[in-house]
Amino acid sequence: MKTLTSQPSLHRKLQFAPVFALAMFASAMFAAEPAVPAPPKAAVSAINPTEMRMHLEFLSSPELGGRYTLAPNFAISAKYLASRLKSYGYKGAGANGSFFQPFEIVSAKQDPEKSKLSLTIGKDTTQPAYGDFYSATRFTGSAEGGIVFVGYGISSPAQKYDDYAGLDVKSKIVLIASGTPTSVDNSKLEDIEEDEGAARAHGAVGIIRLPSANFVRMMANPSYKENSSRFPLNRLAAEKADKLPTIRLTPALADKLLAQVGTTVDKVNDTTKGGGALTPKALDASANFTAAVVETKTGTQNVVATLQGTDPKLRDEYITFSAHYDHLGTNARGEMYPGADDDGSGTTAVLNIAQAMAMQPPKRSVFIIFHAGEELGLLGSKYNTDFAPAIPLEKLVVDLNIDMIGRSRPAGDTEKANEALTGPNAIYLIGADRISKELHQISEATNARTEKMKFDYTMNDPKHPERIYFRSDHWNYAKHGVPIIFYFDGIHVDYHKPTDTVDKIDFDKMTKVSRLVYETGWTLANMDHRLKKDVN
């Protein structure tokens, strides 16, 4: 799963007590479940620990080197998945029947020599060195103008919240803090209402970011300056190079600006942690900066396939199963990140589900997509939704996305880093009710009839600080109005570490979740009507 950068860190402990939504089903909920044939027993049985282990041991093997999207051996994973899908009877959904959907990624490394800043506060002008500020953009660009502190940088008329109210930022540079105020539902914000989108809409020419609490911690590491210029920010080559030039300040430099509004970086981060109020204000300050990067372009691919439905009237609609098959690769010390749970578990699950679906195809067609570049910023799903969909989005009934379902917290586990990890018979469900309440009802009813797992909806809260809804590939479908469910076991001690290994996987739990996703998809693929949507 993608690491959160501009929001609270994943490595910060989740501030909640796990609350399980134990199924209490009214008769109306059972009535809402469509009358469809039961899924074939042989297909359900085909999803089993033996199959799971076989695929996952290969995907996590040293030969694949951690499945880093930009590594040469990443293609081995893609070929493995494609060959399996072909053997099950799927057709390639790429150009000319290919199982691959190619796209290009641009990696932008900071260029310290060409990145410049001139900062005027009151009557004093300085030229801070690189290391007092950092490029925070995927494009090279320059900006010059007065500085306006815009708090969270959110302007949402629909939610009656506007950090830009009474401020003139046209041809100015905006100073932005991370986070979202408690009065705003961030799941309902449009791109134009927050961050770069809002700044651009109000006429700003550049952005200066305050360091979040996470960045403050990272910047305290003596090696941060070196690492910041070594590790790239990534984007799709298909994206237009029209984003606002952006830099990020160190706490010491940011405090000099914030002194004009009587606060400090630490005080701002304490406030934003709880979604408290900030006070936007035009500052007696200006800046002239260049945020420079060095670009490298690399080709990669999603793996895409379809299974034709049996009903001539319904086969033009698709039930989508998705997972990301990339991970983090191998570090400078030669340590491989196997990604057994993240997201070898989801990739394995979708592969098994694809096999089960092919044993007796449903009425609607099935679309399987394994996304690349999720760890680089949901890039594979963004390419498939925003630029060149393999299947037109209006034909997608649902996206059932699986990202980390292989770990469980055993009884008596006191490891703090596992406090958000679900147990052997539990799983987080995220997003099922956001677009289609009928989807939520079908999900609940299917579980009550089949696997009887404990569903935890804690992370489905729109105001949850970890913003999990936005952090895996389903989000790029949801933002286009495609109903989604995201299945997730929770952050654990081995997340994004070399210790995320196969020996720690709970294959029985993985099997139960995978069967549940298959059974839910089977119902959706065979019911006589398309899912009702409550929002577009």
Side-chain angles (χ1 to χ4, degrees), residues 24 30 61 69 86 270 282 289 291 302 322 385 394 399-400 413 432 453 468 473 492 517:
M24 296 180 65
F30 285 108
S61 65
T69 293
K86 185 176 181 179
D270 284 343
F289 69 81
N302 294 326
S322 66
T385 56
E394 64 269 17
D399 174 38
L400 303 179
D413 183 356
M453 296 196 73
I468 298 294
D473 290 306
H492 50 73
V517 178

Side-chain angles (χ1 to χ4, degrees), residues 254-266:
D255 281 347
K256 293 180 180 180
L257 281 174
L258 291 174
Q260 293 200 2
V261 287
T263 190
T264 65
V265 166
D266 287 343

Side-chain angles (χ1 to χ4, degrees), residues 155 189-194 197-199 201-202:
S155 179
L189 288 173
E190 303 290 339
D191 288 345
I192 200 172
E193 294 180 328
E194 61 177 336
H202 286 82

Side-chain angles (χ1 to χ4, degrees), residues 176-417:
I176 299 180
S178 63
T180 309
T182 54
S183 58
V184 171
D185 182 348
N186 56 29
S187 70
K188 296 180 180 178
L189 288 173
E190 303 290 339
D191 288 345
I192 200 172
E193 294 180 328
E194 61 177 336
D195 203 67
E196 199 266 354
R200 178 183 293 279
H202 286 82
V205 295
I207 296 173
I208 297 177
R209 296 194 184 281
L210 295 174
S212 65
N214 185 40
F215 274 106
V216 169
R217 287 191 292 271
M218 289 193 297
M219 287 174 175
N221 189 325
S223 66
Y224 179 80
K225 180 178 178 180
E226 176 187 353
N227 290 338
S228 66
S229 60
R230 187 171 64 190
F231 297 111
L233 295 173
N234 299 285
R235 63 175 173 85
L236 294 171
E239 292 183 66
K240 294 181 179 179
D242 62 352
K243 303 296 183 182
L244 295 182
T246 305
I247 60 173
R248 179 175 281 107
L249 304 183
T250 57
L253 192 55
D255 281 347
K256 293 180 180 180
L257 281 174
L258 291 174
Q260 293 200 2
V261 287
T263 190
T264 65
V265 166
D266 287 343
K267 290 179 180 178
V268 168
N269 287 334
D270 284 343
T271 299
T272 59
K273 180 179 179 180
L278 298 173
T279 304
K281 179 183 178 182
L283 306 183
D284 181 16
S286 62
N288 183 344
F289 69 81
T290 295
V293 298
V294 178
E295 297 183 351
T296 303
K297 189 179 292 186
T298 306
T300 189
Q301 65 285 309
N302 294 326
V303 179
V304 291
T306 59
L307 179 73
Q308 189 177 62
T310 60
D311 189 306
K313 293 183 180 179
L314 298 178
R315 65 174 50 149
D316 203 37
E317 299 176 357
Y318 292 80
I319 305 302
T320 305
F321 297 94
S322 66
H324 73 90
Y325 71 109
D326 66 302
H327 195 52
L328 302 180
T330 303
N331 64 26
R333 297 185 297 275
E335 297 174 306
M336 189 188 80
Y337 293 77
D341 192 28
D342 184 13
D343 185 29
S345 63
T347 301
T348 294
V350 170
L351 200 57
N352 251 202
I353 291 167
Q355 180 183 22
M357 279 289 178
M359 293 176 70
Q360 183 175 319
K363 292 181 178 180
R364 287 180 174 81
S365 295
V366 175
F367 175 44
I368 302 293
I369 181 164
F370 294 105
H371 298 111
E374 192 269 359
E375 299 287 4
L376 303 181
L378 313 184
L379 296 185
S381 55
K382 186 175 185 179
Y383 182 79
N384 185 57
T385 56
D386 292 12
F387 295 96
I391 301 296
L393 297 184
E394 64 269 17
K395 295 185 178 184
L396 304 186
V397 173
V398 69
D399 174 38
L400 303 179
N401 184 52
I402 309 176
D403 190 349
M404 298 172 60
I405 59 165
R407 293 290 293 272
S408 61
R409 187 180 187 183
D413 183 356
T414 59
E415 173 64 60
K416 286 290 185 180

Side-chain angles (χ1 to χ4, degrees), residues 438-510:
E438 183 184 23
L439 175 59
H440 170 74
Q441 293 171 348
I442 291 171
S443 168
E444 287 276 7
T446 301
N447 182 55
R449 177 173 45 80
T450 58
E451 305 305 323
K452 298 178 174 58
M453 296 196 73
K454 296 176 182 178
F455 286 168
D456 189 330
Y457 291 104
T458 304
M459 292 190 182
N460 191 46
D461 182 350
K463 295 186 180 299
H464 194 282
E466 297 296 336
R467 303 189 78 205
I468 298 294
Y469 181 62
F470 304 95
R471 288 174 47 196
S472 189
D473 290 306
H474 60 275
W475 163 241
N476 279 321
Y477 296 87
K479 74 183 185 184
H480 287 282
V482 178
I484 67 95
I485 303 179
F486 174 31
Y487 302 84
F488 175 54
D489 58 22
I491 301 301
H492 50 73
V493 67
D494 301 303
Y495 171 76
H496 280 194
K497 293 180 181 178
T499 51
D500 182 8
T501 51
V502 175
D503 60 295
K504 297 174 182 175
I505 294 295
D506 182 345
F507 284 99
D508 289 333
K509 174 178 178 174
M510 217 172 125

